[in-house]
């Protein structure tokens, strides 16, 4: 009988370990399990986290090696304006990296190490399913490469998803971390550090999903897009394709016009409708509508709450990319 | 207005505007349901570690000065002494008060100061406080959870070890005394110039020499050279194999120590504006002889207290909030060693020069309960605050020009 109980214990532990990083914490033992995973991720990630230094501009950021052949993922703004960077591994080994493509709208870029591998590398994960509460581990060469220490490890969780491919965590970042890797608890790469806001909870990362969409173009060395500090000005932001009227005092947004062939048109939204909610969350004015939509990516399906006269209903809309809809 | 900063510099540096107060929500795009999830998760995490901090909390005290709780303290000795953060109490103009979680209160005087660690040893006017038991386990390594205690028995902050214990004091790092030529591509490191404080000069190393190995370890970049010297201390010797023209040589070098003002890979002014983003930082935040780096989000007034692991063992004492990403912890074995040394009398302390990577610090030359002419202390503090405000304003204006 006793033996069976032991087996139940082991099985339960195994189940917890394989589930997403969002299990409730009930005991110190749950925390020990979490700690073990953070340690394992850190041990695997640190040797693959490189500093990228540009001799021309003096810029210093981070990157992460994702293949034995030396393909590095980083942030677009780390390699902006240069063709070559110094790639410095923890421990001091220094190689030359060729800057490949960059999409500035997503703040993602690639660098290829010139030297022959094999290089230590991390595996790619998924960022699309990440949500608030998922545990993550961040690594990066904070404040630039420092020969007396390995790149610092930080632990936290997703606090907000979006805009677009981006996500926000409370893993604190600072200058030099840009381009560094964010991992899930299985040690798979889910994001690349991009920017910070004032709050300690406002650390923004470009999700790995954005790389997947643009993989071939980045690999081919194309550079495009526009770096934006404002998600409502990002050319790749998701839209439904309406012109907004003056917002109502209660926060509703009247539809003044519907763009032909837009997701709104396809979903049957009409001029004169008042938009009330996005996926069940009430909106409070035009900016609020824009920010709520910005949390999704083009191609996502959302439920838009509409008031038409006295009638209230929800309609499903597949979001389009602003740059493609307005300037095809 | 949403304010974000990209985490590098270079051609986009101008995007990084000056620091403006952010009145809006902490995370602009966070939905109410996301906020709720993270708040519930934090509460869960803190509830889980309550039993872990119970014992160490009893050895944690609040340190009060000038009607303000300025630091934490860790009860040591037989329960009548407290270790706390020196720079936070150095300007005391009123008696220092120490308060435990059970309400027990004592008046404290500064028995001595460990200046490099920025720790003060306080003598309490009564005993009966609960002394801490230091962990005898190995120092926790990267990824281990750390929990900061609070006298009331609740955990205060949770973080992980970000970087293994290391020497932060520049002058404790061994220095060969050569600058690497960054245009040189390996093998080896070509000497661009000789710094006569390092020992290379004395050993006969010259500009243009290509250093191949240090103590048998091949070095192919300036960073690798630095890495090869990490286990060395000033005063140690290293065998350097080098190539001069066609000639191969081997020389023994007596290592010196690094100068305190070290140039960083990242521009200092830009970093300074990012460092305090998100919360205040300690006056003395860096340059300690030995510390564990953690991502724990301490505030200056949280420093000086015990830090425990998931088994509740006191693995160290919090030394400082260094900046947005870093707090420093002194490990238990190091604290135990430190306490074996006689601290410096507070009357014997020299005004400290600024340390690299910290806000300017002015350690006054006395630190007893009422050490200075109160007006002089007030003037000194006002002066420091004015200087700080002026510097910040200049920095904002400089950045404004860049945009």
């Amino acid at each position: 009988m006793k033996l069976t109980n032991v087996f139940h214990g082991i099985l339960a532990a195994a189940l917890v370990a394989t589930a997403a990083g969002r299990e409730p914490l009930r005991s110190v033992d749950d925390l020990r399990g979490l700690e073990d995973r953070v340690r394992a991720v850190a041990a695997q990630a640190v040797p693959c986290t490189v500093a990228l230094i540009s001799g021309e501009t003096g810029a210093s950021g981070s990157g992460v090696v994702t293949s034995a052949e030396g393909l590095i993922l980083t942030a677009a703004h780390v390699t902006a304006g240069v063709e070559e960077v110094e790639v410095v591994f923890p421990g001091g080994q220094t190689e030359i990296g060729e800057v490949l493509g960059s999409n500035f709208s997503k703040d993602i870029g690639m660098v290829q190490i010139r030297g022959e591998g094999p290089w230590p590398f991390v595996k790619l994960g998924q960022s699309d399913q990440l949500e608030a509460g998922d545990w993550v581990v961040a690594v990066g060469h904070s404040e630039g490469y420092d020969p007396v220490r390995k790149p610092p490890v930080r632990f936290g969780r997703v606090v907000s998803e979006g805009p677009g491919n981006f996500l926000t965590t409370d893993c604190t970042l600072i200058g030099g971390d840009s381009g560094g890797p964010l991992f899930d608890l299985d040690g798979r790469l889910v994001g690349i550090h991009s920017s910070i806001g004032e709050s300690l909870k406002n650390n923004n990362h470009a999700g790995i999903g954005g790389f997947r969409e643009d993989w071939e173009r980045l690999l081919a060395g194309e550079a495009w897009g526009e770096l934006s500090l404002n998600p409502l000005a990002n050319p790749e932001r998701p839209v439904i394709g309406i012109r907004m009227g003056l917002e109502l005092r209660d926060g509703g947004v009247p539809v003044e016009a519907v763009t032909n062939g837009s997701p709104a048109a396809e979903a049957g939204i009409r001029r004169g409708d008042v938009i009330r909610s996005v996926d069940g969350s009430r909106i409070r004015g035009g900016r609020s509508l824009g920010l709520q939509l910005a949390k999704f990516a083009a191609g996502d399906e959302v439920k838009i709450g509409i008031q038409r006269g006295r009638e209230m209903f929800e309609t499903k809309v597949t979001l389009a990319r602003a740059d493609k809809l307005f300037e095809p | 207005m949403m304010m974000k900063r990209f985490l590098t510099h270079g051609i986009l540096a101008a995007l990084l505007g000056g620091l403006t107060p952010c009145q809006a929500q902490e995370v602009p795009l966070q939905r109410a349901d996301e906020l709720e999830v993270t708040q519930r998760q934090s509460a869960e995490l803190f509830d889980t570690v309550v039993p872990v901090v119970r014992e160490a909390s009893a050895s944690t005290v609040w340190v009060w000065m000038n009607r303000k709780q300025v630091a934490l303290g860790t009860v040591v000795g037989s329960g009548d002494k407290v270790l706390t953060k020196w720079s936070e109490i150095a300007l005391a103009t009123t008696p220092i008060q120490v308060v435990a979680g059970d309400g027990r209160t004592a008046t404290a005087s500064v028995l001595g100061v460990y200046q490099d660690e920025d720790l003060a040893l306080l003598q309490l006017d009564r005993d009966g406080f609960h002394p801490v038991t230091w962990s005898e386990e190995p120092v926790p390594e990267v990824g281990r959870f750390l929990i900061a205690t609070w006298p009331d028995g609740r955990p205060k902050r949770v973080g992980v070890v970000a970087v293994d214990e290391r020497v932060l004091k520049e002058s404790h790092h061994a220095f060969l005394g050569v600058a690497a030529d960054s245009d040189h591509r390996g093998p080896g490191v070509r000497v661009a110039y000789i710094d006569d404080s390092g020992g290379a000069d004395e050993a006969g190393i010259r500009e243009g020499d290509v250093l191949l190995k240090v103590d048998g370890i091949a070095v192919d970049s300036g960073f690798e050279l630095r890495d090869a010297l990490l286990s060395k201390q000033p005063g140690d010797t290293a065998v350097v194999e080098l190539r001069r023209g066609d000639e191969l040589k081997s020389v023994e070098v007596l290592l010196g120590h690094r100068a305190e003002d070290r140039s960083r890979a990242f521009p200092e002014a830009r970093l300074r504006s990012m460092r305090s983003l998100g919360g205040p930082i300690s006056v003395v935040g860096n340059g300690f002889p030995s510390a564990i780096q953690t991502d724990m989000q301490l505030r200056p007034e949280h420093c000086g207290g015990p830090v425990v692991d998931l088994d509740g063992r006191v693995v160290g004492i919090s030394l400082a909030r260094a900046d947005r990403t870093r707090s420093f912890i002194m490990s238990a074995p190091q604290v135990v060693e430190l306490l074996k040394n006689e601290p410096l009398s507070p009357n014997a302390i020299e005004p400290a020069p600024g340390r690299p990577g910290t806000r300017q610090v002015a350690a006054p030359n006395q630190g007893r309960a009422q050490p200075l002419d109160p007006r002089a202390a007030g003037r000194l503090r006002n002066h420091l605050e004015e200087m700080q405000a002026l510097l910040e304003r200049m920095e904002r204006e400089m950045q404004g020009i860049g945009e």
Side-chain angles (χ1 to χ4, degrees):
Chain A
M1 275 326 275
K2 236 178 176 175
L3 196 65
T4 338
N5 281 336
V6 170
F7 270 105
H8 274 302
I10 293 167
L11 274 178
L15 280 174
V16 170
T18 50
R22 219 178 312 136
E23 289 298 315
L25 298 168
R26 294 182 209 86
S27 67
V28 180
D29 276 340
D30 288 349
L31 272 175
R32 286 199 183 92
L34 197 57
E35 183 184 60
D36 285 345
R37 298 182 74 184
V38 174
R39 290 173 66 203
V41 173
Q44 207 181 358
V46 165
C48 310
T49 303
V50 294
L52 301 179
I53 302 169
S54 159
E56 289 166 62
T57 62
S60 170
S62 301
V64 61
V65 184
T66 60
S67 75
E69 294 76 36
L71 181 68
I72 293 170
L73 303 191
T74 184
H77 76 274
V78 168
T79 54
V82 294
E83 288 171 4
E84 246 183 38
V85 286
E86 261 188 341
V87 178
V88 189
F89 282 85
Q93 187 178 357
T94 306
E95 299 290 328
I96 296 296
E98 181 191 346
V99 176
L100 304 179
S102 311
N103 178 354
F104 288 90
S105 302
K106 292 190 180 126
D107 200 13
I108 57 176
M110 285 181 179
V111 169
Q112 173 65 49
I113 299 177
R114 286 243 175 86
E116 213 172 294
W119 306 103
F121 66 97
V122 299
K123 292 202 178 91
L124 304 189
Q126 300 285 343
S127 61
D128 301 343
Q129 290 87 357
L130 286 178
E131 11 181 306
D134 284 337
W135 298 113
V136 282
V137 175
V139 190
H141 290 269
S142 314
E143 310 203 357
Y145 184 83
D146 185 344
V148 306
R149 57 128 175 83
K150 300 276 187 278
V153 171
R154 282 139 283 178
F155 172 64
R157 63 267 162 87
V158 176
V159 298
S160 164
E161 30 164 353
N165 66 305
F166 290 95
L167 55 118
T168 305
T169 75
D170 59 5
C171 293
T172 49
L173 305 174
I174 198 166
D177 278 321
S178 261
L182 184 76
F183 299 95
D184 63 17
L185 287 185
D186 294 320
R188 286 181 303 225
L189 181 68
V190 294
I192 291 291
H193 314 324
S194 173
S195 66
I196 54 173
E198 174 153 17
S199 165
L200 295 175
K201 290 182 190 139
N202 197 351
N203 306 280
N204 306 295
H205 318 259
I208 194 73
F211 279 92
R212 286 222 164 80
E213 288 161 17
D214 296 338
W215 196 265
E216 293 307 321
R217 289 177 78 185
L218 292 170
L219 213 50
E222 258 186 84
W224 76 101
E226 222 177 289
L227 193 60
S228 174
L229 295 160
N230 179 358
L232 300 185
N234 192 316
E236 293 194 13
R237 72 186 183 278
V239 292
I240 58 174
I242 57 160
R243 192 164 77 219
M244 293 188 283
L246 230 51
E247 67 191 44
L248 306 178
R249 281 174 68 181
D250 62 5
V253 174
V255 177
E256 201 173 83
V258 177
T259 308
N260 282 336
S262 70
E266 270 165 38
I269 294 175
R270 301 183 208 151
R271 179 169 191 265
D273 288 351
V274 176
I275 297 179
R276 290 289 178 191
S277 65
V278 175
D279 258 5
S281 299
R282 195 171 157 218
I283 59 155
R284 294 176 180 79
R287 182 177 161 76
S288 155
L289 172 60
L291 289 177
Q292 294 258 17
L293 289 177
K295 292 186 73 73
F296 297 90
D300 286 352
E301 193 181 76
V302 298
K303 282 181 294 196
I304 302 288
I306 302 278
Q307 184 187 352
R308 182 176 292 164
R310 285 191 191 156
E311 195 190 351
M312 295 280 264
F313 61 94
E314 283 190 321
T315 179
K316 284 182 183 168
V317 178
T318 305
L319 300 171
R321 249 170 67 168
D323 54 352
K324 295 211 165 146
L325 182 64
F326 299 123
E327 297 152 42
Chain B
M1 182 56 207
M2 207 169 298
M3 201 206 56
K4 282 189 191 175
R5 292 165 174 237
F6 287 92
L7 304 173
T8 184
H9 62 99
I11 60 158
L12 291 161
L15 277 170
L16 293 167
L19 178 55
T20 48
C22 187
Q23 308 293 346
Q25 213 182 327
E26 287 189 308
V27 181
L29 283 185
Q30 193 178 43
R31 274 192 318 252
D33 60 300
E34 290 175 322
L35 179 65
E36 200 198 312
V37 166
T38 52
Q39 281 175 341
R40 198 173 50 228
Q41 193 175 36
S42 299
E44 219 172 68
L45 177 68
F46 278 75
D47 285 345
T48 310
V49 289
V50 167
V52 172
V53 296
R54 191 169 294 138
E55 201 184 326
S57 301
S59 304
T60 313
V61 293
W62 286 293
V63 177
W64 283 73
M65 179 199 88
N66 299 356
R67 290 180 297 282
K68 214 175 137 196
Q69 187 256 314
V70 293
L72 287 185
T74 304
V75 182
V76 295
S78 56
D80 63 345
K81 291 188 182 63
V82 160
L83 207 52
T84 189
K85 178 110 175 124
W86 164 236
S87 55
E88 297 296 342
I89 57 156
L91 293 181
T93 57
T94 60
I96 298 162
Q97 298 284 331
V98 160
V99 184
D102 61 6
R104 178 175 282 265
T105 304
T107 300
S109 57
V110 179
L111 196 61
V113 174
Y114 299 102
Q115 210 177 357
D116 283 348
E117 292 76 10
D118 192 37
L119 290 174
L121 188 61
L122 304 180
Q123 174 66 55
L124 310 185
D125 67 353
R126 56 186 287 199
D127 56 10
F129 288 81
H130 190 281
V132 75
T133 307
W134 300 107
S135 167
E136 288 171 5
E137 296 294 309
V139 175
E141 68 275 38
V142 168
R144 283 271 185 209
F145 280 22
L146 299 175
I147 307 136
T149 61
W150 199 244
D152 70 357
R154 292 283 301 175
K156 194 63 188 175
R157 290 288 190 271
V158 178
V160 299
V161 176
V163 180
D164 285 325
E165 186 174 41
R166 71 187 195 273
V167 176
L168 291 172
K169 200 173 164 65
E170 282 294 306
S171 61
H172 290 193
H173 286 285
F175 187 44
L176 185 60
V178 301
D181 181 348
S182 56
D183 289 337
H184 178 77
R185 296 273 149 247
V189 176
R190 190 164 65 203
V191 178
Y193 61 89
I194 304 281
D195 182 324
D196 55 18
S197 65
D201 195 24
E202 195 109 319
I205 295 176
R206 293 189 215 148
E207 281 174 23
D209 286 354
V210 178
L211 313 186
L212 301 172
K213 284 182 177 176
V214 174
D215 278 352
I217 304 166
V219 290
D220 288 329
S221 73
F223 292 131
E224 276 188 353
L225 174 62
R226 184 81 197 269
D227 200 61
L229 293 168
L230 274 187
S231 59
K232 298 277 184 181
Q233 289 177 0
D236 290 354
T237 56
V239 176
V240 177
E241 291 167 57
L242 59 88
R243 182 165 52 76
R244 180 176 298 158
D246 295 334
E247 186 191 358
L248 288 174
K249 288 173 72 96
S250 176
V251 295
E252 199 177 61
V253 184
L254 178 65
L255 298 167
H257 61 79
R258 299 190 77 84
E260 287 286 347
D261 61 325
R262 136 167 169 241
S263 61
R264 298 217 48 130
F266 213 87
E268 197 65 23
R270 189 156 302 285
L271 273 179
R272 213 177 307 134
S273 68
M274 289 192 195
R275 281 196 178 120
S276 54
L277 269 187
I281 60 180
S282 297
V283 172
V284 175
N286 208 335
F288 306 108
S290 173
I292 301 165
Q293 183 175 324
T294 168
D295 63 351
M296 191 187 275
Q297 298 174 2
L298 296 173
R299 293 175 59 91
E301 66 270 24
H302 299 160
C303 296
V307 172
V308 302
D309 64 10
L310 283 181
D311 293 315
R313 292 183 291 238
V314 179
V315 296
I317 172 172
S318 52
L319 282 183
R321 177 62 172 168
D323 58 37
R324 178 182 175 89
T325 67
R326 296 183 294 174
S327 295
F328 288 119
I329 311 293
M330 185 170 181
S331 72
Q334 294 285 346
V335 179
V336 170
E337 275 308 302
L338 184 74
L339 289 173
K340 289 179 186 163
N341 301 326
E342 195 67 30
L344 212 61
S345 155
N347 299 313
I349 290 170
E350 299 280 318
R355 300 188 187 194
T358 65
R359 281 161 61 195
Q360 182 61 39
V361 46
N365 46 16
Q366 287 179 318
R368 286 195 183 277
Q370 291 175 316
L372 295 170
D373 170 2
R375 284 164 304 175
R379 278 198 301 274
L380 177 59
R381 187 171 277 282
N382 283 341
H383 179 66
L384 283 175
E385 281 167 0
E386 270 169 33
M387 289 299 290
Q388 181 71 22
L390 186 67
L391 274 172
E392 278 165 8
R393 210 184 88 200
M394 281 170 64
E395 213 164 82
R396 278 198 301 274
E397 283 170 6
M398 293 297 285
Q399 285 179 349
I401 293 166
E403 273 176 305

